[in-house]
């Protein structure tokens, strides 16, 4: 038994926010954003009407339709996001409810490995299928970054990069004779870099971690004090994401390349065999760097960050679904998915589509 991607789907909100729109509210420019990131526009969700889970469910419906199965045939859900509807429970159960799958009481698991979330989620789903536990697993990546970014000049290094959206696949159990299937998954992390790309509050840390860029004093706090959302957190905007952009860039280009090569080496494939590389859409400059370093042609790499910005866990499944929709990927093609991000975490999945 192995697993194959039976169907793909994606959803992006209608509201297009261009760099020119951002120029009106923060001190930035279309030229700065395009030069550094390649991004021209992104989508922002309609507050109060769309959430991380409703977008995830919309992408899931398309993936289920394209897989040619009924929703009731889904027997497990894995949801990757760093921007859930609630602090708890996770967004997986909310997607389950949106899809009407609560009637079947199928399990719903949330994955929290940020930009690498979809890679981790896919690899967990693959193992459940190989172990014979499930037949059709919905694997979703969904993000609503616009729910909480610093849309002032203070937050411009981050807020111009991220966008909202969701992507999903149905991962299905198939026999060994089937040509399509996941060939290799590779997962990595290094917690030394945890605070270099992070949103540290609200949380339990109360200033404990030495490397916390948003360290605030909780000296003298008693066991009865609530440290989750303190006045310091609110006053200093510590609930906004922080990114050491240059460090992220340096590590990303190395780790992306390493983990793609790792997937190729494990399966006896070469870079010439890759029909399509779908890198996590972190930054067009990062993707171009990897392409150049690996010596890949333009038609071997899919980029859509220009239109959607960085959608973290959603970026790979959105790009995959779009590439399939555009017939840039055909059944049997060798597809490499790869991501790097907060944690730091990174990894790759190599598959025959
Ligand atoms: N518009 C205009 N100016 C800006 C903006 C903005 N949106 N953001 C920052 N600046 C200014 C800074 O204030 C600074 O000004 P100063 O020199 O007067 O102090 C100047 O631009 C340079 O700032 P840096 O942060 O040094 O900018 P840098 O050239 O490093 O570019 C960037 C920032 C694009 C984030 C870059 O570091 C990068 O590409 N990093 C990779 C990280 C990344 O892409 N992450 C994506 C998300 S993480 C992931 O998915 C893996």
């Amino acid at each position: 038994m192995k697993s194959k991607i039976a169907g793909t789907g994606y959803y992006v909100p209608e509201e297009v926010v261009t760099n020119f729109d951002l120029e009106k509210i923060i001190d930035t420019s279309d030229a700065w954003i395009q030069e550094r990131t390649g991004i021209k526009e992104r989508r922002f969700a309609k507050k109060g009407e769309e959430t991380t889970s409703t977008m995830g469910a919309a992408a899931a419906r398309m993936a289920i339709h394209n897989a040619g199965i009924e929703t009731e045939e889904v027997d497990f859900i894995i949801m990757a996001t760093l921007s859930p509807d609630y602090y708890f429970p996770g967004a997986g159960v909310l997607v389950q409810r949106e899809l009407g799958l609560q009637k079947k009481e199928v399990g719903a698991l949330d994955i929290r490995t940020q930009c690498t979330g979809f890679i981790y989620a896919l690899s967990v789903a693959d193992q459940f299928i190989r172990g014979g536990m499930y037949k059709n697993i919905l694997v979703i990546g969904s993000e609503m970054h616009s729910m909480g970014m610093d849309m002032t000049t203070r937050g411009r290094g981050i807020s111009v990069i991220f966008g909202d959206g969701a992507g999903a696949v149905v991962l299905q159990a198939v026999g060994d004779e089937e040509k399509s299937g996941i060939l290799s998954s590779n997962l990595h992390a290094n917690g030394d870099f945890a605070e270099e790309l992070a949103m540290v509050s609200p949380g339990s840390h109360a200033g404990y971690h030495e490397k916390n860029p948003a360290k605030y004093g909780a000296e003298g706090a008693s066991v009865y004090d609530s440290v989750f959302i303190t006045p310091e957190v609110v006053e200093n905007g510590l609930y906004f994401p922080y990114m050491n952009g240059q460090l992220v860039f340096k590590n990303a280009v190395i780790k992306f390349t390493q983990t793609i090569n790792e997937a190729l080496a494990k399966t006896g494939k070469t870079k010439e065999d890759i029909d399509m590389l779908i890198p996590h859409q972190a930054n067009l400059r990062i993707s171009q760097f990897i392409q150049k370093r690996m010596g890949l042609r333009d038609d071997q790499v899919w980029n859509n960050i220009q239109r959607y910005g960085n959608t973290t866990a959603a970026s790979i499944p959105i790009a995959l679904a779009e590439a399939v929709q555009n017939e840039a990927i055909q059944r049997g093609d060798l597809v490499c998915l790869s991501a790097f991000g907060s944690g730091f975490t990174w990894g790759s999945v190599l598959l025959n589509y």
Side-chain angles (χ1 to χ4, degrees):
M1 197 67 88
K2 63 177 181 177
S3 72
K4 79 161 191 182
I5 292 181
T8 58
Y10 72 105
Y11 173 84
V12 288
E14 259 179 53
E15 188 71 28
V16 176
V17 177
T18 66
N19 295 344
F20 298 107
D21 293 327
L22 294 181
E23 277 181 5
K24 290 178 199 144
I25 54 168
I26 53 184
D27 181 10
T28 188
S29 67
D30 175 61
W32 193 97
I33 301 170
Q34 282 213 50
E35 193 183 304
R36 304 283 203 302
T37 70
I39 299 166
K40 294 179 189 215
E41 58 188 44
R42 71 288 292 142
R43 306 293 179 100
F44 278 1
K46 268 212 176 91
K47 312 295 182 317
E49 284 179 34
E50 293 175 308
T51 71
T52 305
S53 65
T54 67
M55 292 191 290
R61 283 187 201 99
M62 182 174 164
I64 290 168
H65 173 81
N66 287 340
I69 63 165
E70 298 299 324
T71 305
E72 294 66 35
E73 291 177 76
V74 169
D75 44 18
F76 196 64
I77 296 170
I78 305 184
M79 174 75 170
T81 184
L82 62 68
S83 51
D85 299 34
Y86 299 143
Y87 191 80
F88 75 81
V93 295
L94 301 177
V95 170
Q96 185 223 41
R97 187 171 69 189
E98 283 286 323
L99 295 173
L101 278 168
Q102 79 277 24
K103 295 183 202 103
K104 270 193 69 190
E105 299 183 349
V106 299
L109 170 72
D110 279 62
I111 298 267
R112 295 202 42 172
T113 46
Q114 302 66 248
C115 312
T116 318
F118 189 76
I119 297 289
Y120 270 73
L122 203 57
S123 122
V124 169
D126 179 48
Q127 292 306 315
F128 272 134
I129 286 176
R130 282 179 196 272
M133 195 154 162
Y134 299 118
K135 287 204 171 70
N136 288 301
I137 303 182
L138 251 183
V139 187
I140 305 164
S142 182
E143 302 288 2
M144 186 164 149
H145 287 299
S146 71
M147 74 173 185
M149 289 190 300
D150 185 353
M151 299 303 292
T152 68
T153 297
R154 178 181 65 174
R156 65 184 177 175
I158 293 242
S159 21
V160 301
I161 295 178
F162 294 93
D164 302 341
V169 304
V170 171
L171 200 69
Q172 191 167 65
V174 288
D176 260 345
E177 69 290 348
E178 169 92 28
K179 173 114 173 38
S180 302
I182 290 184
L183 304 173
S184 157
S185 309
N186 309 282
L187 307 177
H188 298 282
N190 185 343
D192 269 348
F193 298 96
E195 289 81 8
E196 302 294 351
L197 177 48
M199 189 178 113
V200 297
S201 290
S204 66
H205 61 88
Y208 167 77
H209 301 287
E210 241 177 65
K211 292 181 176 175
N212 189 338
K215 193 164 158 54
Y216 63 98
E219 289 85 13
S222 92
V223 291
Y224 302 108
D225 286 341
S226 167
V227 295
F228 191 60
I229 304 173
T230 59
E232 289 95 325
V233 168
V234 178
E235 278 158 26
N236 300 320
L238 301 182
Y239 50 89
F240 290 128
Y242 164 84
M243 175 172 73
N244 181 343
Q246 292 182 9
L247 189 79
V248 170
F249 197 106
K250 275 185 209 143
N251 281 272
V253 291
I254 295 168
K255 297 303 183 187
F256 260 114
T257 319
Q258 270 179 9
T259 191
I260 296 165
N261 281 328
E262 174 183 30
L264 294 173
K266 269 192 188 167
T267 51
K269 308 275 185 195
T270 65
K271 64 185 170 66
E272 288 77 24
D273 296 326
I274 297 178
D275 293 301
M276 188 62 80
L277 168 68
I278 299 192
H280 157 53
Q281 306 288 300
N283 179 324
L284 189 62
R285 306 295 161 240
I286 293 178
S287 298
Q288 287 170 335
F289 202 98
I290 304 162
Q291 177 180 341
K292 199 166 167 210
R293 203 173 238 212
M294 298 220 40
L296 297 174
R297 301 181 311 271
D298 285 352
D299 65 297
Q300 285 177 292
V301 185
W302 190 265
N303 291 305
N304 63 8
I305 189 168
Q306 300 92 327
R307 286 174 286 121
Y308 302 133
N310 179 333
T311 57
T312 310
S315 89
I316 290 178
I318 292 175
L320 177 65
E322 224 186 40
V324 168
Q325 193 177 48
N326 284 279
E327 297 178 356
I329 295 178
Q330 309 287 339
R331 280 287 170 203
D333 279 0
L334 187 71
V335 176
C336 185
L337 314 176
S338 180
F340 174 89
S342 161
F344 290 155
T345 56
W346 63 99
S348 59
V349 170
L350 192 67
L351 59 95
N352 277 319
Y353 178 68

